[in-house]
Amino acid sequence: MNQRPEALAPLRDFVVATTRLVDRQPDEAQLLEEGRRLLASLIARDDWLPDAFAHAEPGIYRQYLLHCDPLERFSVVSFVWGPGGRTPIHDHTVWGLVGVMRGAERCEEYAPEGEGKVVARGRAHVMTPGMIEAVSPTIGDWHVVCNDLADRDSVSIHVYGGNIGAVRRHLFDPAAGVIREFISGYSSPLMPNLWDRSSASGAPLP
């Protein structure tokens, strides 16, 4: 990780503010509205994300855990899409906010139809830096996301209403025509240290 600890201050401030938000237990609409404002402030600059959590090889995507609430009420994840990187058709089962910080991402919307079937809604959009969208079982939860750029990575910051890497979710296999369960996990065992303020203090070690 190439960042000095104080460079992570925007992420630390976001984690503190989001913790206070979920502490209040607002309804979903209010949570998404206030969370959107917090996320917009976080992704307004992109110099705080360490390089270790901002790269993916061509043809794949990576998801790096940046923070998980100790009660698993929310998690913050950087998703990195290498050129050609694309998710399967999947859901989330919890509320989520997705904010693009670098590059561009294309999202194709899907919806469940009948028993064990998921169909394209015929809607797709491209998200560029600063744009944010929300997902949840109540407002729409199925999609495919891919990098819209052929020559460089795209990066988005996601906030979910749970420890998303441990949540039992679903993907749709169009070739087999079946929905399968999956647990995504994370792409690295490392997390940024948000709480080290030693270099900012200017006080040397004894």
Side-chain angles (χ1 to χ4, degrees):
M1 299 180 203
N2 63 337
Q3 247 84 342
R4 295 173 299 172
E6 63 267 29
L8 289 168
L11 178 58
R12 182 171 59 243
D13 293 345
F14 176 80
V15 165
V16 170
T18 304
T19 302
R20 289 173 174 157
L21 175 59
V22 299
D23 278 346
R24 287 167 31 212
Q25 298 183 323
D27 63 31
E28 183 179 277
Q30 185 178 5
L31 189 151
L32 292 176
E33 179 182 355
E34 295 189 31
R36 182 186 291 267
R37 289 198 293 267
L38 295 176
L39 184 55
S41 179
L42 179 63
I43 64 173
R45 52 186 291 185
D46 74 350
D47 58 346
W48 56 266
L49 183 65
D51 290 344
F53 308 102
H55 176 68
E57 295 78 12
I60 66 171
Y61 67 95
R62 300 287 191 190
Q63 53 186 61
Y64 299 103
L65 180 62
L66 303 179
H67 176 78
C68 185
D69 172 70
L71 299 180
E72 298 185 284
R73 297 172 300 176
F74 73 95
S75 55
V76 187
V77 182
S78 67
F79 271 72
V80 188
W81 318 89
R86 182 182 182 88
T87 70
I89 304 167
H90 67 281
D91 70 357
H92 308 84
T93 76
V94 296
W95 63 263
L97 289 163
V98 176
V100 174
M101 194 165 69
R102 299 175 190 167
E105 298 175 7
R106 177 180 174 84
C107 175
E108 301 168 9
E109 299 178 28
Y110 285 76
E113 181 180 88
E115 185 66 28
K117 188 178 180 183
V118 177
V119 298
R121 299 178 68 180
R123 296 205 300 252
H125 57 277
V126 174
M127 296 178 63
T128 54
M131 297 179 67
I132 297 172
E133 69 176 2
V135 296
S136 85
T138 58
I139 64 176
D141 198 36
W142 285 85
H143 64 196
V144 168
V145 181
C146 65
N147 193 343
D148 200 52
L149 303 178
D151 59 346
R152 62 186 185 275
D153 293 347
S154 293
V155 181
S156 52
I157 305 301
H158 298 212
V159 190
Y160 292 107
N163 176 8
I164 195 63
V167 172
R168 190 175 298 276
R169 299 191 280 152
H170 309 91
L171 60 82
F172 180 64
D173 180 345
V178 296
I179 294 175
R180 307 185 192 278
E181 285 193 340
F182 78 104
I183 297 175
S184 68
Y186 296 107
S187 299
S188 171
L190 302 177
M191 292 173 57
N193 184 350
L194 304 184
W195 313 112
D196 181 2
R197 295 181 175 88
S198 58
S199 62
S201 71
L205 287 171

